Amino acid sequence: MRTSKQDTGYSAICTSDADSITVRGRDLCEDLMGKFDFSSYFWLLVTGQEPDENQSFFLNATLVALAEHGMVPSVVAARMTLAAAPEAVQGAVAAGILGCGSVALGSAEIAGRFYAECVEDQRASGDPVADVAVRNIHRWREHTKAVPGFGHWQHVEGDPRALKLLELADARGVSGEHVAMMRAIHAALPETIGRELAVNVNGPIPAILLDIGWPLSALKGIGLLSRTGSLIGHLTEEAERPVGFIMSGASSAAIEYDGD
């Protein structure tokens, strides 16, 4: 079933012939290999433009910040999958990535969409950013309780990754409308939800990236790419020092059967 006209298709990402491969208008072997680091290449692939210094810096910083946080659900799923199917590393990576959703790993996309809506509201209305933050929190909570980008089960006094990213953004002069909106939303939480919440890493990641020109539609790709690197590390360790079945046994021991 087609939802739009697709009779003529185009792609501006890559083409090849017998002698060359062209990526985003550049010769892969002559212009990119040995000259681009992978994160800059990732920016080029997604946006079609070479990143400037700050874009490259913060793409790297966010990928590093989000890649690893211990035995989180995506890692557990991947390691247990490899334990059961040691011949299928790709399946184990996929098992971990499939859990990239609204609660873990994919929430930066949700936060970014919310902040972008708030910024558009502020631009259109001209109202003070604090007023825009308050009304949009109320609007958001009509359908979703949690305000994205805030609160963390462990880092209750402040996510160190979030604090560092904001420190870097301020120091390098890239904090713009989306970071300002994120901070206004944070300040408005006691008034709107009745309590303070710390900023988590999924607050500054989309806010900073949107301020430096990363596409809103590609925000989830940050979590996917960064966690893929982490999963490969975990799976390499799992092959050498397996804990997948220990995890499986621990989960069985922790769950009580209460059926008839």
Side-chain angles (χ1 to χ4, degrees):
M1 176 180 176
R2 297 193 307 176
T3 58
S4 61
K5 186 176 181 180
Q6 298 173 333
D7 294 330
T8 303
Y10 300 94
S11 173
I13 295 178
C14 182
T15 189
S16 62
D17 56 31
D19 303 310
S20 66
I21 302 167
T22 301
V23 180
R24 290 293 194 183
R26 294 156 178 82
D27 186 284
L28 175 64
C29 297
E30 299 301 322
D31 301 329
L32 299 174
M33 292 174 62
K35 298 179 180 179
F36 266 53
D37 60 75
F38 183 73
S39 63
S40 295
Y41 187 43
F42 179 47
W43 187 287
L44 174 67
L45 285 169
V46 173
T47 70
Q49 303 295 323
E50 293 186 29
D52 62 26
E53 183 179 351
N54 275 327
Q55 289 169 334
S56 180
F57 179 90
F58 282 101
L59 180 59
N60 273 298
T62 55
L63 289 169
V64 170
L66 199 55
E68 182 56 49
H69 203 268
M71 295 294 181
V72 293
S74 60
V75 170
V76 172
R79 293 186 76 138
M80 289 177 64
T81 299
L82 192 72
E87 73 285 354
V89 173
Q90 74 279 12
V93 171
I97 292 300
L98 286 171
C100 179
S102 60
V103 175
L105 198 58
S107 53
E109 176 192 31
I110 297 169
R113 292 190 182 280
F114 178 49
Y115 304 158
E117 290 170 2
C118 294
V119 167
E120 286 301 314
D121 181 3
Q122 200 278 327
R123 290 173 180 170
S125 67
D127 293 337
V129 65
D131 294 345
V132 174
V134 168
R135 71 165 169 258
N136 277 280
I137 292 172
H138 288 309
R139 173 185 63 82
W140 183 264
R141 283 171 61 83
E142 289 176 359
H143 59 81
T144 306
K145 183 177 181 181
V147 181
F150 305 96
H152 195 281
W153 66 273
Q154 184 179 47
H155 304 304
V156 294
E157 299 299 323
D159 188 329
R161 301 166 298 178
L163 299 176
K164 186 62 178 182
L165 286 171
L166 290 170
E167 174 191 328
L168 291 169
D170 290 343
R172 295 179 69 96
V174 304
S175 298
E177 291 177 296
H178 296 88
V179 170
M181 185 60 68
M182 186 212 70
R183 285 178 159 144
I185 293 168
H186 184 218
L189 291 178
E191 172 188 350
T192 53
I193 71 170
R195 63 191 178 110
E196 294 184 4
L197 289 174
V199 180
N200 64 48
V201 73
N202 289 307
I205 282 180
I208 293 168
L209 288 175
L210 290 173
D211 278 340
I212 63 173
W214 185 255
L216 177 61
S217 60
L219 277 174
K220 182 172 273 190
I222 301 298
L224 295 174
L225 180 62
S226 62
R227 188 52 55 87
T228 296
S230 172
L231 289 175
I232 293 170
H234 275 278
L235 295 173
T236 301
E237 184 181 67
E238 179 66 25
E240 299 167 352
R241 303 173 64 191
V243 298
F245 282 120
I246 296 175
M247 293 175 175
S248 178
S251 65
S252 296
I255 306 300
E256 295 185 12
Y257 175 74
D258 66 352
D260 295 331

